[in-house]
Amino acid sequence: ATEKSQKYDGKHMALFEVSYLATAPQLGTLMGVYLPCIQNIFGVILFLRMTWMVGIGGVIGSFIIVFMCCSTTMLTAISMSAIATNGVVPAGGSYYMISRSLGPEFGGAVGICFYLGTTFAGAMYILGSIELLLVYILPQAAIFKMEGLEGAEAEAAMLNNMRVYGTIVLSFMATVVFVGVKYVNKLALLFLACVILSILAVYAGVIKTAIEPPDFPVCLLGNRPLISKGFDVCAKTLESGNGTVTTKLWSVFCDSPFLNATCDEYFVNNNVSFIQGIPGVMSGILKENLFGNYLEKGDLVAKKGIATVEGPDDTLTNSNRYVLADITSFFTLLVGIYFPSVTGIMAGSNRSGDLRDAQKSIPIGTIMAITTTSIVYMSAVILFGACIEGVVLRDKFGEGVNGNLVIGTLAWPSPWVIVIGSFFSTCGAGLQSLTGAPRLMQAISRDGVVPILRVSLFHLTSLWDVSSQVSLFLLTSLWDVSSQVFGHGKANGEPTWALLLTAGICEIGILIASLDAVAPILSMFFLMCYMFVNLACALQTLLRTPNWRPRFNYYHWALSFLGMSLCLSLMFICSWFYAIVAMVIAGSIYKYIEFRGAEKEWGDGIRGISLSAARYALMRLEEGPPHTKNWRPQLLVLVSTDVEQNVEQPRLLSLTNQLKAGKGLTIVGTALAGTYLENHPQAQRAEQSLRKLMETEKVKGFCQVTISSNMRDATSHLLQASGLGGLMHNTVLVSWPRNWKQADDLQTWRDFIELVRETTAAHLALLVPKNIAAFPSNGERFSEGHIDVWWIVHDGGMLMLLPFLLRQHKVWRKCKMRIFTVAQMDDNSIQMKKDLTTFLYHLRIDAEVEVVEMHDSDISAYTYEKTLVMEQRSQILKQINLTKTEREREIQSITDSSRGSIRRKNPAVVTTQLSVTEEQPGVSSKVEKPEEEVQLIHDSTSPTSPATPLTPASEGGAQTPGSAQVQMTWTEKADGEPAKPPGASTPQGIKDIFNMKPEWENLNQSNVRRMHTALRLNGVIVKKSSEAKLVLLNMPGPPNNRSGDENYMEFLEVLTEGLNRVLLVRGGGREVITIYS
C-alpha cells in the first residue's frame, strides 16, 4: 500500500493509474458517457423554471439564452474532447484535464471552483425536490403554515420550510452515499428513466394539444388571473331557482355574502371571465408570447389584450388573491437561473476511468448528449410559447391552474407523470452531486496541490486524545501512507472526510433556501471551470507542444477562444457581483498555491508559455545593453564548499538576499577541482546544497556548479559561462579570502587576485565583503546605526546605489546613510559638500555628507586613478547621449569642480574640459601611443626611481582616451613628456589633464612607505566609522606586475583593519545611477 501511494503521489502517477484502469469496469459510449450526460444535463430547471423563463423573457429572448448557453457548452465539449483524447484521463475528469494542461496552480484553483459548483448543484437539486414536494405533491406537509399569510410573511414561511426539509433530505442523502455508493449507481438508471419518461410525456402532450387541447381554465378578474384556491366557480353570482346567489369568489372580495355587501372597487368595476390555460399548438398564441414581459417584485401577472377598468387612485387590495411576481426579473437573471440546466457535460469525462475506450467514447458521447439536450431545450422554448397561455407561463408556481406544475399541465396522460418523474430525477441528481463532489475533493487532496488540504491526521488525532501518546503514535504511523485528511476515506476508498465537508458546504446552499438565488452561484463556478477548459485547449494548440497529439481532430484554437469569451461574458451577464466573487476566490486559491509552493511538474501549458515568453524576452535583451535607468545588479555569487559539499559562507547568501531590492538576476555558483566524470556526484551534492541554502535564505535565482582541473580555471569558467544571452551577470560577489597569510593557503589569495583581474577585464562590478561571518542574517534587525560610504574615486555610482538597495531590506531599513568624501588641503571643502548634498537630493537619496580633508601624500595612491576615471567618464556620458547641461550636473562634474588639487594644475582647462571634449570628438578618437606606467606596488627588488620607464614587455597597461574601458590600477605616471603651459586650452592641453603626474611621484617606494596611504586613510576611517554597521570602500585594482600581489593584499588588509563589516566595491566601468527620470 505504501509503494502504491508513493507512486500515486510522485512522478509515476500515470503508471499507477494505468494499472488501475486495467481492473476497472469497461463501459461503452452509450452507458458510460451519453446517458450519464443526459441525466446530469436534464434537471430541475427544465421542470420548475423553463416555462416561467419563456413567459418572462418571451420566446425570442429565451431562445437567445438557450442558444448562448448551449453554444458555450458545445464549444467547451469540443475543447474537452481534444484534451481528453490527448492521452489517458484517469479519475478526476475535468480537474485532471485542467491541472495537467494549465499546471497545479490553475488546476487547484479551478478544481476547487468545480468542486464548489458541484456541491452547490447538490443544494439546488435538493431545494428543487423540496419545492416539488411542498408546492405540488404534499402542501399540507409544511411545518410553517402559509395559509392566510401574505407578502413577506408567506415568503419567510416558505423559506423556513425549505431550510428544515432541505436539511433533513441532505442528511438522508449523505447517509445513503456514506453507506454505499453502489446503491446510488443502481438507482441511477431508475432516475434516468424518470427523466426520459417525463420529457416524452411533454412531447406527447404537445401533440395531443393539436388534436384536443386539455381543459385547464384560468379565472380572470378583468385582466388579472386569480389564484384558484379559495373558490370553486369562476363567477361573481349564480342563478338558481330561488334567485341570484353569490359565490365563494364574492366572499373573497366582499365583506359579506349578500348582494348589498361592500366589495373591492376593482372587483365591482370588472367582469370575471376565464380562458384556457393550454389553448394548444395550433391556437396561434405563439405570436403573443414572442416578446418578453419582465416584472418587478409584487407586480400583477396580467393578460395582454383584455380591457380592464382601474380607477386613478385604485390601490391594490386583496393582493393574496392575485397571481403576483415573487422576484424582480430581468434578462441577466434569467441567464443565471437557466445556465445550470446545461451543465453536466463533464459526467462522461468524470467516468473516464470506467470506459472501455475513453478517447473514442468521450467526444462522441458528450457531443451527442449536448446535441440531444440542446434540441430538446430549443424545441421546448418554441413549443411552450406555442401551446401555453402567457399568464400561465408567467405563473411560476401554477397558482392559477389549481396549483399544478405548469409544465405538468401540458403533459400527457396526467400532470402527475411530470411531478413524480421530476421529483425522482431531482433526488437522483442530488445524490449524484453528493457522490461526485467528494471524489473530486479526494482527487485534489491526493494530488497535494492545495497545501491546506495536506493536513496530517496527527492534528486530528491530537485533538482526539492528547493524553494517550502511544495511541497517537500508532494512529499517525498507520495513516502515514495517506497523510491527507480529505484524500483518505473508508477501507474501500470512499471519501468519508470529503463527504462530510461536501455536506457542510451543501448546507450553506440549503440555508439560502431559494432556488433562484442558488442557481446563479453555481453558474459562476461551472462557467469558470468551462472557461479554463477552453483556455487549456487554446494554449496547447497555439504552443504546439510535441506532446499535443489529440485523437479528436475537430478542434481549433479560435473555437476554444470563442468558448472562453462566451464563458467570461456569461459570468458577468449572470451577475457581475458573483462573477467578481468567484474570480477572487479562484485568484486567492491560485496565489495561495503559488505562495505555499505546489511541488508538482506535469509539463503543463503555463510552463510552455513561460518558456516561450522567456525566449522572447531573451531575444529582446540581445538588442543592446540596458540604459543606466534600467541598470540592476545581476549577481554572480561565488561561494566555496567543504569536503562534504556544504557551503562555507552561508552569510554570503544572506547578503545576496538583502541586496536583491534590485530584483535582478541571481546566480549562485561554486567551483570544484577534478574531472567531470569522476566528480559528477560531488557536483550534484553541491548543487543540492546550494539549492537548499538558497531556499533557506529566500534567494530566488539559479545555481551552477563548474568542474575543472583546478579551482582557478573552474572559477574562470564560471565567470565566463554563467548567464544566457542578454541575461548575463554584471556584478560578482565573492568573499574576502580568510587566513590568506598562512603559508599553506597561498593559492587562495592568488586565485582571488586573478578573479579581480578577470572581473576588470570583463567590465564586471565586484563586491568583496570582508569579515562576512560578522554580517547580519536575514532574521536580524538593526534598530539604529549608519551605513558609511567612503567615496574616494567615482565608480559609476555603485557606492551610492548599494546602500540604497540594502536599506530596502528590513535588516538595514532603520540605518542611516553617511557619505564621506576625501578632499585635499587646497580643495574647496565647503563648496564640495554643498554640491554633493544637492546632487544626492536630485538622486532622491537621503544621506548625510561629510568632507574629510587630508594631505596630498595621504591619498596619493588614489590620485592618478581619479584623473583616469574622469577621462573614461566623459566618454561614458557621451555614449548615453546626455546633453552638455546634463553632463555638468552629473556626479563627478559637481565634485571635481571644487577640487583645488585639479584646478591648480590647469585651472583654465578644468572649467572647459567637458565642453571641449564634446565639441571636438576627434580628440577622443585619435589613438595615441599608450602612456607608460610603473607599478606603485611591487616587490622590494623593483626599481625605486619614479621616472623609470617600462620595458616593452610590460607596456599596454594604460587606456587610450577613446576607450570606454575603465582600468583602475595602482600605477604611477612616467615623467616622460614636457609639461604644457598652465593656461593651455587646446585638445593637447586637455590630454595633459588626464596625463598629469601623480601626487606621489617624489615618495619613497619602499614597502613601508607604500603603506603610508593605507595607514593614514585607515586611521581616518576608523576614527569616523568605527561604530558604523557597514563601511563601503572603493577597491583599487591589483597591479599588472604579479610580483606585487602580496603587497596589494597587505595594502587592502591595512586599509580595512579595525573595521567590523567592510564591503569593498569596484565599479564595472559604466554609470549605474542617474538623476534623470
Side-chain angles (χ1 to χ4, degrees):
T2 304
E3 185 180 352
K4 186 174 287 188
S5 175
Q6 289 172 350
K7 281 185 177 182
Y8 186 89
D9 196 44
K11 296 180 180 178
H12 305 291
M13 183 186 294
L15 297 176
F16 168 72
E17 288 162 346
V18 167
S19 64
Y20 168 77
L21 288 175
T23 61
Q26 303 297 301
L27 297 175
T29 303
L30 182 67
M31 296 298 295
V33 181
Y34 180 76
L35 291 179
C37 284
I38 290 288
Q39 182 185 359
N40 279 267
I41 294 173
F42 286 136
V44 64
I45 300 297
L46 171 63
F47 301 116
L48 290 180
R49 294 292 183 268
M50 192 75 170
T51 53
W52 173 77
M53 184 184 79
V54 174
I56 294 292
V59 172
I60 295 176
S62 301
F63 192 87
I64 292 172
I65 293 173
V66 171
F67 182 78
M68 276 199 308
C69 295
C70 291
S71 299
T72 302
T73 54
M74 180 60 79
L75 292 171
T76 303
I78 292 172
S79 300
M80 183 191 72
S81 298
I83 298 173
T85 57
N86 188 52
V88 178
V89 180
S94 57
Y95 159 71
Y96 185 93
M97 289 187 291
I98 295 170
S99 61
R100 270 54 175 183
S101 298
L102 295 180
E105 294 87 359
F106 276 111
V110 180
I112 293 294
C113 286
F114 190 51
Y115 165 76
L116 292 174
T118 307
T119 304
F120 274 102
M124 183 188 73
Y125 291 130
I126 292 172
L127 289 174
S129 64
I130 301 303
E131 183 177 313
L132 284 164
L133 178 69
L134 295 181
V135 177
Y136 305 108
I137 300 175
L138 206 62
Q140 58 270 27
I143 297 174
F144 298 90
K145 301 300 181 183
M146 294 178 286
E147 297 295 333
L149 298 179
E150 296 184 20
E153 293 179 350
E155 183 180 352
M158 181 63 182
L159 293 178
N160 289 331
N161 283 320
M162 300 282 279
R163 293 183 181 109
V164 173
Y165 276 100
T167 304
I168 295 171
V169 172
L170 173 62
S171 303
F172 174 74
M173 288 185 175
T175 304
V176 171
V177 174
F178 176 77
V179 169
V181 73
K182 60 182 179 180
Y183 301 112
V184 178
N185 293 333
K186 287 180 179 179
L187 292 171
L189 286 176
L190 173 63
F191 297 142
L192 177 60
C194 291
V195 173
I196 295 174
L197 285 174
S198 299
I199 294 172
L200 291 176
V202 172
Y203 279 104
V206 170
I207 295 171
K208 185 176 180 298
T209 61
I211 304 168
E212 183 186 352
D215 184 25
F216 276 101
V218 177
C219 189
L220 299 179
L221 176 61
N223 65 349
R224 302 173 181 178
L226 298 173
I227 295 177
S228 57
K229 294 178 182 178
F231 64 90
D232 51 357
V233 180
C234 185
K236 294 182 181 180
T237 60
L238 291 175
E239 298 295 332
S240 68
N242 297 329
T244 303
V245 295
T246 59
T247 62
K248 287 185 179 181
L249 185 59
W250 180 279
S251 301
V252 169
F253 289 94
C254 300
D255 57 3
S256 72
F258 304 108
L259 292 173
N260 60 352
T262 304
C263 297
D264 181 88
E265 186 175 353
Y266 186 84
F267 180 75
V268 173
N269 294 335
N270 291 275
N271 295 323
V272 175
S273 61
F274 71 87
I275 59 173
Q276 280 297 331
I278 312 292
V281 71
M282 306 300 291
S283 64
I285 196 69
L286 178 63
K287 186 183 295 184
E288 185 180 318
N289 292 329
L290 279 178
F291 302 102
N293 189 7
Y294 297 100
L295 302 172
E296 296 286 333
K297 183 177 180 179
D299 283 357
L300 290 163
V301 175
K303 166 71 175 168
K304 297 178 182 177
I306 294 182
T308 181
V309 179
E310 295 185 27
D313 299 325
D314 277 355
T315 57
L316 183 62
T317 56
N318 295 294
S319 60
N320 60 331
R321 301 305 176 190
Y322 299 112
V323 178
L324 303 176
D326 66 324
I327 60 171
T328 299
S329 54
F330 39 89
F331 181 80
T332 58
L333 174 74
L334 299 184
V335 177
I337 291 174
Y338 172 74
F339 187 80
S341 65
V342 297
T343 60
I345 62 173
M346 302 289 188
S349 62
N350 289 343
R351 295 171 177 239
S352 55
D354 300 332
L355 299 176
R356 185 184 305 114
D357 186 357
Q359 298 190 11
K360 176 183 177 183
S361 298
I362 288 177
I364 296 174
T366 305
I367 292 175
M368 288 301 296
I370 293 175
T371 303
T372 304
T373 54
S374 299
I375 291 172
V376 170
Y377 282 136
M378 291 179 186
S379 63
V381 168
I382 298 171
L383 293 176
F384 289 164
C387 294
I388 305 176
E389 176 62 50
V391 289
V392 179
L393 287 172
R394 289 187 286 277
D395 185 359
K396 183 186 288 186
F397 301 109
E399 294 171 311
V401 286
N402 298 319
N404 282 297
L405 185 62
V406 174
I407 193 175
T409 61
L410 187 61
W412 181 86
S414 168
W416 286 101
V417 175
I418 290 287
V419 173
I420 301 300
S422 59
F423 176 75
F424 280 111
S425 69
T426 51
C427 289
L431 280 171
Q432 291 289 348
S433 296
L434 289 178
T435 304
R439 278 161 178 71
L440 181 59
M441 174 56 70
Q442 187 180 43
I444 298 171
S445 182
R446 281 183 174 174
D447 267 353
V449 295
V450 183
I452 199 171
L453 299 179
R454 299 200 300 261
V455 183
S456 173
L457 286 184
F458 178 84
H459 296 93
L460 295 180
T461 52
S462 61
L463 294 174
W464 193 354
D465 186 4
V466 178
S467 61
S468 180
Q469 297 297 325
V470 177
S471 299
L472 277 175
F473 175 76
L474 290 174
L475 284 168
T476 51
S477 299
L478 285 171
W479 298 116
D480 186 53
V481 176
S482 178
S483 62
Q484 300 94 358
V485 172
F486 298 113
H488 171 70
K490 295 191 294 185
N492 61 354
E494 295 298 321
T496 308
W497 293 105
L499 176 61
L500 290 175
L501 177 66
T502 302
I505 297 174
C506 193
E507 180 62 21
I508 296 173
I510 298 296
L511 294 176
I512 294 174
S514 172
L515 182 68
D516 300 325
V518 173
I521 296 176
L522 65 100
S523 294
M524 292 302 121
F525 292 125
F526 278 120
L527 279 166
M528 184 166 291
C529 177
Y530 297 165
M531 179 175 72
F532 281 105
V533 169
N534 286 297
L535 175 62
C537 180
L539 285 182
Q540 298 279 30
T541 307
L542 289 174
L543 290 173
R544 298 178 182 176
T545 53
N547 190 53
W548 180 243
R549 303 184 302 274
R551 292 186 182 276
F552 181 78
N553 296 318
Y554 304 101
Y555 68 93
H556 194 271
W557 65 265
L559 293 176
S560 299
F561 268 116
L562 179 60
M564 185 180 70
S565 304
L566 272 174
C567 290
L568 187 62
S569 302
L570 284 174
M571 285 179 68
F572 283 93
I573 288 173
C574 292
S575 170
W576 65 268
F577 176 75
Y578 283 154
I580 292 174
V581 170
M583 287 182 167
V584 168
I585 292 173
S588 301
I589 297 171
Y590 178 93
K591 295 305 292 183
Y592 172 72
I593 297 172
E594 185 182 53
F595 175 72
R596 292 296 302 271
E599 300 171 0
K600 299 290 177 185
E601 172 52 54
W602 290 321
D604 50 84
I606 296 299
R607 186 170 180 82
I609 291 179
S610 301
L611 291 172
S612 298
R615 174 184 170 278
Y616 174 77
L618 285 171
M619 298 300 291
R620 286 291 304 273
L621 288 175
E622 285 289 296
E623 294 176 3
H627 192 274
T628 301
K629 300 172 188 175
N630 299 325
W631 193 92
R632 292 175 176 178
Q634 319 281 19
L635 289 178
L636 171 61
V637 186
L638 299 178
V639 297
S640 57
T641 56
D642 56 20
V643 291
E644 298 295 329
Q645 310 307 327
N646 295 318
V647 178
E648 292 182 333
Q649 310 101 359
R651 288 294 170 87
L652 208 57
L653 273 294
S654 302
L655 179 61
T656 303
N657 177 275
Q658 294 156 25
L659 276 169
K660 290 317 290 178
K663 306 293 184 185
L665 171 73
T666 302
I667 302 173
V668 181
T670 189
L672 299 178
T675 63
Y676 182 77
L677 292 178
E678 294 177 356
N679 294 80
H680 183 61
Q682 290 91 323
Q684 287 184 316
R685 287 200 300 272
E687 186 172 350
Q688 291 176 356
S689 178
L690 291 180
R691 290 187 188 280
K692 185 176 180 181
L693 184 60
M694 289 172 69
E695 184 177 348
T696 302
E697 297 294 341
K698 297 181 179 178
V699 173
K700 293 185 178 181
F702 311 96
C703 60
Q704 189 169 347
V705 180
T706 304
I707 304 174
S708 189
S709 56
N710 58 74
M711 294 293 290
R712 171 85 290 283
D713 289 345
T715 306
S716 179
H717 297 159
L718 197 60
L719 195 72
Q720 297 174 56
S722 296
L724 178 63
L727 194 64
M728 299 286 291
H729 53 277
N730 54 29
T731 305
V732 177
L733 176 62
V734 62
S735 179
W736 176 263
R738 293 182 303 168
N739 306 321
W740 64 272
K741 295 182 181 181
Q742 295 180 3
D744 59 347
D745 205 19
L746 296 177
Q747 193 59 40
T748 304
W749 62 264
R750 287 173 179 163
D751 290 347
F752 172 78
I753 295 180
E754 287 302 307
L755 177 65
V756 177
R757 288 192 175 100
E758 288 181 356
T759 56
T760 302
H763 306 292
L764 300 174
L766 180 65
L767 308 179
V768 182
K770 196 165 180 286
N771 304 328
I772 186 64
F775 276 65
S777 66
N778 292 327
E780 297 180 41
R781 304 285 184 273
F782 290 132
S783 58
E784 58 181 0
H786 295 91
I787 300 176
D788 287 356
V789 176
W790 283 83
W791 183 46
I792 302 168
V793 175
H794 177 63
D795 57 354
M798 283 289 289
L799 284 170
M800 303 287 188
L801 184 62
L802 292 175
F804 170 77
L805 296 178
L806 284 173
R807 291 182 66 227
Q808 306 305 304
H809 196 275
K810 47 194 172 186
V811 173
W812 305 91
R813 188 165 293 157
K814 294 186 179 180
C815 292
K816 296 182 179 178
M817 182 177 167
R818 295 189 300 191
I819 296 181
F820 296 90
T821 186
V822 178
Q824 298 171 32
M825 288 303 180
D826 53 355
D827 289 342
N828 187 345
S829 301
I830 297 175
Q831 185 62 36
M832 188 183 297
K833 179 176 181 179
K834 182 179 178 182
D835 292 343
L836 188 55
T837 303
T838 302
F839 180 73
L840 289 173
Y841 173 79
H842 289 304
L843 281 178
R844 291 88 65 200
I845 292 178
D846 297 324
E848 300 176 19
V849 177
E850 186 171 340
V851 178
V852 179
E853 293 185 346
M854 299 183 69
H855 289 284
D856 295 356
S857 59
D858 294 341
I859 57 169
S860 58
Y862 280 100
T863 307
Y864 176 77
E865 188 165 0
K866 177 174 291 296
T867 60
L868 179 62
V869 168
M870 286 172 60
E871 177 185 9
Q872 309 301 340
R873 196 172 175 287
S874 68
Q875 302 301 322
I876 293 171
L877 293 176
K878 257 190 173 183
Q879 291 176 4
I880 63 175
N881 300 321
L882 294 182
T883 63
K884 172 185 173 182
T885 306
E886 289 172 338
R887 291 183 197 180
E888 291 173 351
R889 292 180 64 185
E890 284 288 345
I891 187 165
Q892 196 66 32
S893 310
I894 292 172
T895 53
D896 288 339
S897 62
S898 306
R899 291 198 179 273
S901 57
I902 295 177
R903 275 201 317 275
R904 72 173 184 271
K905 287 290 181 182
N906 202 334
V909 174
V910 170
T911 59
T912 60
Q913 52 151 328
L914 290 175
S915 61
V916 174
T917 304
E918 179 185 14
E919 292 167 5
Q920 298 187 27
V923 174
S924 59
S925 62
K926 292 178 182 179
V927 179
E928 300 288 340
K929 178 183 177 182
E931 296 298 329
E932 298 174 347
E933 298 182 357
V934 177
Q935 303 302 321
L936 168 65
I937 299 176
H938 50 78
D939 59 17
S940 57
T941 61
S942 299
T944 57
S945 172
T948 303
L950 282 175
T951 61
S954 61
E955 289 183 3
Q959 298 293 312
T960 59
S963 171
Q965 187 177 9
V966 175
Q967 181 173 345
M968 304 178 183
T969 53
W970 294 97
T971 56
E972 176 182 16
K973 173 70 182 63
D975 189 12
E977 294 185 9
K980 300 295 177 186
S985 59
T986 62
Q988 188 61 40
I990 297 170
K991 183 172 172 54
D992 285 342
I993 288 293
F994 300 120
N995 295 335
M996 62 185 177
K997 297 177 183 179
E999 301 293 339
W1000 62 77
E1001 65 178 359
N1002 296 320
L1003 297 181
N1004 187 347
Q1005 296 295 311
S1006 68
N1007 283 336
V1008 175
R1009 187 66 173 166
R1010 276 180 233 127
M1011 295 302 144
H1012 174 77
T1013 297
L1015 284 170
R1016 293 301 302 267
L1017 195 53
N1018 174 259
V1020 175
I1021 293 173
V1022 170
K1023 180 180 178 182
K1024 297 284 186 179
S1025 301
S1026 59
E1027 300 298 323
K1029 302 299 182 185
L1030 179 64
V1031 176
L1032 282 83
L1033 276 170
N1034 285 115
M1035 180 181 181
N1040 288 337
N1041 187 351
R1042 286 175 171 77
S1043 60
D1045 285 357
E1046 187 171 1
N1047 292 335
Y1048 170 73
M1049 294 293 292
E1050 190 66 44
F1051 182 95
L1052 293 178
E1053 193 71 58
V1054 172
L1055 183 66
T1056 56
E1057 189 175 358
L1059 299 174
N1060 186 26
R1061 301 184 193 92
V1062 181
L1063 185 61
L1064 297 170
V1065 180
R1066 184 162 172 74
R1070 62 158 297 158
E1071 295 296 312
V1072 301
I1073 195 168
T1074 179
I1075 64 175
Y1076 298 99
S1077 61

